[in-house]
Amino acid sequence: GDLFNGGEAISRGLELSLQCNLAGASRRDFALPFQVTYTYTHAEFRNPFDSEFSPWGQVKRGDEMPYIPGHQLFLSFGLEYGRWQADISGKYTGSMRTEAGSGPVPEFSRTDSHFILDGSADFTIARKTRLFAGVRNLTGRRYVAARRPAGVRPGLPRTFVTGIKTDF
């Protein structure tokens, strides 16, 4: 809950996204929604300073900010038919610095890049109520998601979810 001042910083990036129905607009009985989104981000400190916040430490102008991935990619493909809906999606996140710095990132000062697949299905049982089930991290991929606080933090393991959604 502590706040730390990072001084001047600049964050630049580019995001490209495409969404479409691969079944075409003329099909009313089913849909094949597809989405792809790519994000590039570069964030750096613009002034030197010393910080008591350990991920920053002694910062030089131009040091990259920690925990901001340079590359992210999201893909999703689905099927909608009558009261059924299912999709599979994947998200790639590039490795990230866990400490401010520039140049090559030492192995123990970064997270792992990773690609995670998720799957889900919904069935509409009433006008505003749906049953759902899903699996996050379908392949059970293991990766380092963070190194703070207090050491290495793993990414979400394979996780099953199920329930009922109701819109009010």
Side-chain angles (χ1 to χ4, degrees), residues 2 9 20 33 104 112 141 154:
D2 295 333
C20 63
D112 295 333
R141 170 96 158 96

Side-chain angles (χ1 to χ4, degrees), residues 43-54:
E44 64 183 49
F45 292 102
R46 301 303 292 163
N47 62 306
F49 63 93
D50 289 332
S51 175
E52 294 177 16
F53 183 50
S54 58

Side-chain angles (χ1 to χ4, degrees), residues 21 57 81 94 106 126 161:
N21 177 2
Y81 181 73
V161 294

